[in-house]
Amino acid sequence: MFGSTTSVGNWCTRVAPSLFSPFYLPNLNPNPLCLLSTLITPNPTTLSLPLTARRFSFSPVSPMDDEHQATEQEYAFHSDLLHQFTAIPSVDKAWLFNSHTGLASQAMFCVSQPNLLTNKRKKSIVSASLLRQSDATVAFHWAPFPIELTGVSAMVPSPSASKLLIVRNPESEGPCRFEIWSSSQLEKEFHVPQSKHGSVYIDGWFEGISWNLNETCIAYVAEEPAPAKPTFNDLGGYQKGSSSDKDGGTWKAQGEWEEEWGETYAGKRQPALFVIDITSGEVQAVKGIDKSLSVGQVVWAPAVEGSVQYLVFVGWSFETRKLGIKYCYNRPCALYAVKAPYHESKANETETDSTEDVQAVNLTQTISSAFFPRFSPDGKFLVFVSARSSVDSGAHSATDSLHRIDWPKDMKLYQSSKIHEVIPVVLFAEDGSFPGLYCSNILSDPWLSDGHTLVIASVWHSNQVLLSINVLSGEILRITPANSNFSWSLLTLDGNNILAVSSSPVDVPQIKYGAIVKNTTNDKEWSWSDVSNPILKCSDKVRSSISSLTSSIMKISVKDASESLTKGASQPYEAIFVSSQTKKSDACDPLIVVLHGGPHSVLLSRFSRPLAYLSSVGYSLLIVNYRGSIGFGEEALQSLPGKVGSQDVNDVLTAIDHVIDLGLASPSKIAVLGGSHGGFLTTHLIGQAPEKFVAAAARNPVCNLALMVGTTDIPDWCYVETYGTKGRDKFTEAPSAADLTLFYSKSPISHLSKAKTPTLFLLGAQDLRVPISTGLQYARALREKGVPTKVIVFPNDVHGIERPQSDFESYLNIAIWFNKYCK
């Protein structure tokens, strides 16, 4: 249901040295990088290949299949070119380690790229030294080769950068491995058995791994131990006590089924909070947390000498059912504080603590949502993001707000702590002004040197920008260039400087270094420079293919806006148009209309490897951010619930007519592509406007809400998007006949009788969000009508269809399918 900010089939986050001296770094501040080549590869002599990997033959579909009748040459050309696009690496994370002199720093970049042979993403570390020049510029000196990360689940440097935690989750029922590395060696290694806890969460949402300030303990979130299951002997007799699965003559029953958090969390147990003492290796479960809470995003509260240390975490509760939580910001949550277990001196533990004293304290009872807790460097206040507009309306994602709690010096925590609003929910923004906060992550250390200004990435219309926010005054500054088609991702801070990645639909990602400069009025401005690097390289063929492309962001006026619409819902929405600058004739290239999921998501004006590939093989793209997308203010977003299948469909048709009227597209050569809710729109469009489209492709589409509501992990979504905000209170696990009738009427399948567009379906068999049954039902019904239909099912993929081979096969088939009907 939720589309990607980078490709149409995935979810959005609101949007993937020399041989003997692999880290050529000057002798700077001691840190744990020196032995990184050893700690991240089981065999220290095994190095990864350079990032420009060798090409290989990959033919996921028989090139002689009568269904598509594509030639071997066509498949060979497209598979080779698509592989070159998908091989472009991504920078996932970065860390900077400063020296004592302040003249140089060391950097680590975590880089990933798909490996089609193993069907996994291959990860590596690329390192560099940063030298500050006399003219205030910075020079990057890169290690000659990357080092492959093998078996590493998480890497977390300590606050002083003198230690590095490596977490290795087991692939089966083995123990979790915790490794503590110094600048010269592996100092400690601890194996935590499954009886203590399961895998450490590294999902980006519940995930939380935090060092305490004196670097003696680490708090983290992991799966709680598996509950004991009934055991029987070979005669069916009940076996008392526990036994392992390997014990001969016994077998374990399933036991009671437990609720899970839906899509991508199948088989994952409840997230719980633990602390490990890195001196002794002792692991303790944190006490005082109600069993009904799923915990995540833990951080240590500021330490006060002689006082108990506290942990602050996010807690999600549920009543009778855990509804899907992946990218569903409408799940109520709160910040809690709880006493950390004693490790340093057990003799000082008091035996008189009452149950009330150890119970976790809810710090945000007056607000329905609180997450991403971050303490200021001086420990005087705690900042957090809230999705209260999402929780209160029922929309899966909406406009965020930012808040601050002043942290008590006496460490006396109160549930009635005053919450200061730093950034409110923005309902409507005039042209050019701040449209509201849309935040999918915050750095673990997001602060500039003044200690009260944080840097954050946020969606601003069809771009992602970087903002500086003064959490005391509420001042917001857009620190990346305005009036640009580029989007920005934040990597890390270097004092008052920033490392980021910038790209556009036709420009491959580029690492940027930002520095504060003073302008003529003595105000602060940011200067951005390109960082020459060996990471984000592409082949000559890719560079040549995209060199002739151009992109722009179009404003699309709302058609037939009624007086009943709010001001925000009446304002223009946007579409990103990508096309060739060099026309070989007066004829327009075929147009692919690209639609994001959600619907409260966005497709950003940034580089998408599969979409760039489609552009490079002779298609123009119209990427529509219809009303209801994030990044345009709360009124525009909330105009869509209750009107899905009509308002969003009309917005897309209006955008198509706009480019046709400008002479940028031919009305006879239009295809449509969408995933999840984008697939909902794709199948709606071919039914409501059957003469408009010559081909369609849908990835895990929502085709029948009446069927989906009983099988999805987010049935409340069906109610809210169908009924509007009142659907939040109407939601029930037992839909009425009236509910089902309305769901059907809002669904693409209700327009099936008019559909005649050849359609490709790409379905993940393990999808819990939009189960495969709804897409298969629609595809079979199209076939029954005699409409050309092709279905590819990926047996092991979930909603996103993100596994490398599946993603590759998807877009290869999309290109071949569109070529068959558009060219």
Side-chain angles (χ1 to χ4, degrees), residues 226-362:
K229 294 183 178 181
T231 304
F232 300 89
N233 61 29
D234 56 349
L235 300 177
Y238 180 72
Q239 189 89 13
K240 291 184 178 181
S242 60
S243 62
S244 70
D245 292 331
K246 297 180 181 180
D247 289 346
T250 63
W251 56 278
K252 286 189 176 182
Q254 292 301 312
E256 184 178 0
W257 176 75
E258 294 185 5
E259 289 278 359
E260 298 167 338
W261 283 109
E263 176 69 15
T264 75
Y265 290 101
K268 298 286 286 184
R269 299 193 296 274
Q270 176 98 338
L273 188 54
F274 300 86
V275 173
I276 184 170
D277 182 323
I278 67 167
T279 302
S280 66
E282 180 187 6
V283 173
Q284 290 192 44
V286 177
K287 298 177 181 179
I289 300 174
D290 192 280
K291 292 295 184 182
S292 67
L293 284 182
S294 291
V295 307
Q297 303 178 16
V298 63
V299 294
W300 289 85
V304 176
E305 188 173 355
S307 297
V308 173
Q309 279 197 285
Y310 280 88
L311 297 166
V312 171
F313 64 91
V314 182
W316 291 265
S317 59
F318 67 98
E319 294 178 1
T320 59
R321 174 178 178 178
K322 291 178 179 175
L323 294 166
I325 201 169
K326 190 74 172 182
Y327 302 120
C328 289
Y329 296 88
N330 55 329
R331 307 301 174 219
C333 56
L335 296 188
Y336 294 82
V338 67
K339 289 182 179 180
Y342 282 86
H343 283 274
E344 292 84 356
S345 176
K346 294 203 170 215
N348 291 333
E349 288 191 37
T350 61
E351 301 292 339
T352 58
D353 282 351
S354 67
T355 302
E356 185 177 344
D357 289 335
V358 299
Q359 282 297 113
V361 177
N362 186 337

Side-chain angles (χ1 to χ4, degrees), residues 37 47 70 141 219 472 481 485 495 558 601 704 735:
S37 61
L47 300 181
H141 298 275
L472 298 180
N485 289 342
V558 175
S601 176
N704 185 350

Side-chain angles (χ1 to χ4, degrees), residues 556-716:
I556 312 293
S557 297
V558 175
K559 187 177 181 180
D560 302 328
S562 67
E563 293 182 359
S564 62
L565 289 177
T566 60
K567 190 174 182 180
S570 305
Q571 296 302 301
Y573 52 100
E574 290 184 350
I576 304 163
F577 187 70
V578 183
S579 63
S580 173
Q581 300 180 78
T582 57
K583 280 193 174 183
K584 297 180 181 178
S585 65
D586 292 336
C588 296
D589 287 333
L591 177 71
I592 301 175
V593 180
V594 184
L595 304 171
H596 67 71
H600 311 301
S601 176
V602 69
L603 276 166
L604 294 171
S605 180
R606 68 181 177 192
F607 193 76
S608 162
R609 291 153 182 78
L611 295 185
Y613 154 71
L614 292 174
S615 300
S616 72
V617 294
Y619 291 95
S620 297
L621 303 181
L622 182 66
I623 304 165
V624 185
N625 288 320
Y626 45 86
R627 284 174 296 163
S629 304
I630 63 171
F632 296 85
E634 188 67 3
E635 286 185 350
L637 186 146
Q638 293 292 351
S639 70
L640 183 56
K643 300 177 184 176
V644 292
S646 53
Q647 177 179 294
D648 43 6
V649 168
N650 290 330
D651 282 355
V652 174
L653 292 172
T654 300
I656 294 171
D657 290 340
H658 180 75
V659 293
I660 291 174
D661 293 343
L662 292 175
L664 299 175
S666 167
S668 63
K669 294 188 293 183
I670 300 175
V672 60
L673 164 64
S676 196
H677 188 86
F680 173 86
L681 290 176
T682 295
T683 46
H684 252 303
L685 286 162
I686 64 174
Q688 293 193 43
E691 306 298 332
K692 203 89 169 177
F693 304 97
V694 297
R699 289 165 57 109
N700 284 329
V702 178
C703 299
N704 185 350
L705 290 165
L707 175 61
M708 174 182 155
V709 70
T711 55
T712 178
D713 67 331
I714 52 168
D716 58 323

